[in-house]
């Protein structure tokens, strides 16, 4: 439930991106099960279905790499998963 504010720009205008931490979750991917931290950025209404329409899972290991992103739009949804990786400083922790 903790929130972090990142001062950034959106469409060339200053914008405060608010990201909420939602806890840890083990997700199943084509690489195997990966323990992740789940984040929910608060997105601008208009393009997305609502301000809670974006979820991001980051590996809960030393790499801290994006593993999954889900977005809900007015006309449908989009999901992308990490399917391949290389050059990581640490071995990706995959749960067998």
């Amino acid at each position: 439930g903790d929130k972090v504010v990142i001062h950034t720009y959106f469409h060339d205008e200053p914008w405060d991106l608010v990201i909420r931490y939602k806890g840890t979750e083990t997700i199943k991917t084509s690489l195997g099960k990966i323990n992740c931290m789940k984040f929910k950025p608060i997105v601008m209404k208009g393009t997305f279905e609502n301000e809670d329409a974006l979820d991001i899972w980051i590996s809960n290991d030393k790499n801290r790499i994006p593993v999954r992103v889900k977005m809900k739009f007015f006309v449908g949804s989009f999901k992308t998963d990490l399917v391949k990786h290389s050059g990581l400083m640490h071995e990706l922790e995959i749960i067998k």
Side-chain angles (χ1 to χ4, degrees):
D2 289 344
K3 293 181 183 177
V4 174
V5 178
I6 299 172
H7 306 291
T8 187
Y9 288 87
F10 186 73
H11 292 293
D12 295 327
E13 297 288 328
W15 182 55
D16 289 340
L17 173 63
V18 179
I19 302 173
R20 291 178 289 178
Y21 175 69
K22 302 304 283 182
T24 59
E25 190 175 313
T26 300
I27 61 172
K28 187 176 179 180
T29 72
S30 62
L31 299 172
K33 293 180 181 178
I34 302 173
N35 186 27
C36 295
M37 297 176 289
K38 184 177 179 181
F39 297 92
K40 187 173 273 297
I42 298 174
V43 296
M44 296 178 120
K45 293 178 185 176
T47 304
F48 295 97
E49 185 177 61
N50 58 50
E51 69 177 20
D52 290 328
L54 180 60
D55 295 303
I56 301 172
W57 288 262
I58 305 290
S59 64
N60 194 13
D61 61 7
K62 293 178 182 177
N63 295 297
R64 305 282 197 248
I65 59 172
V67 176
R68 173 174 289 161
V69 176
K70 277 186 173 179
M71 294 177 258
K72 297 176 189 171
F73 300 99
F74 287 109
V75 296
S77 63
F78 176 81
K79 173 185 155 190
T80 184
D81 278 352
L82 177 71
V83 295
K84 185 174 149 182
H85 60 86
S86 65
L88 298 177
M89 291 190 69
H90 307 281
E91 186 72 27
L92 182 61
E93 294 180 14
I94 297 175
I95 302 166
K96 306 271 182 200

